[in-house]
Amino acid sequence: MSALIQNVRAAGDTGLDNASVLITGEREALLADGQFTLAEQHRVLKDVLDSGKELTTVMVITADPDHCPKEALIERCPDLGLLVFLDLGTRVATGVMARG
């Protein structure tokens, strides 16, 4: 069993100071929080692609739409199987109730 590896991507002021964490295991990856700006989204996407792992899950930890995965990630990872919202406020704020 391989260890889990985490890669933190912190955006600056222009990215609303969001932080994303990519956690990778032997074959799969999980992303905790997305990024707000398109440039930061692309940086996170590069991290995912460079990991060589399959992104299976995105957890939205913060009740703020700025932290939800955006177009760049969703378009490039069409088989993304699971979006996990840790609170109802995030789901309501983003208008996402289910994805299937």
Side-chain angles (χ1 to χ4, degrees):
M1 176 187 231
S2 64
L4 296 177
I5 299 169
Q6 69 177 7
N7 179 15
V8 178
R9 169 68 61 190
D13 292 341
T14 58
L16 301 179
D17 296 316
N18 284 4
S20 298
V21 181
L22 181 66
I23 302 169
T24 57
E26 190 173 330
R27 294 180 301 275
E28 297 179 344
L30 172 145
L31 180 66
D33 282 342
Q35 288 288 333
F36 180 68
T37 67
L38 187 58
E40 293 297 336
Q41 292 172 48
H42 281 248
R43 288 182 182 96
V44 169
L45 179 58
K46 182 180 181 322
D47 293 341
V48 170
L49 296 174
D50 287 351
S51 77
K53 312 300 182 189
E54 178 187 0
L55 182 63
T56 59
T57 305
V58 175
M59 281 190 322
V60 180
I61 297 170
T62 306
D64 190 326
D66 297 344
H67 295 263
C68 292
K70 305 286 192 303
E71 303 82 26
L73 186 66
I74 293 173
E75 287 175 7
R76 192 63 194 263
C77 302
D79 296 327
L80 182 61
L82 186 59
L83 294 174
V84 177
F85 296 90
L86 296 186
D87 63 53
L88 182 60
T90 301
R91 296 173 73 173
V92 170
T94 60
V96 176
M97 295 308 285
R99 183 167 189 239

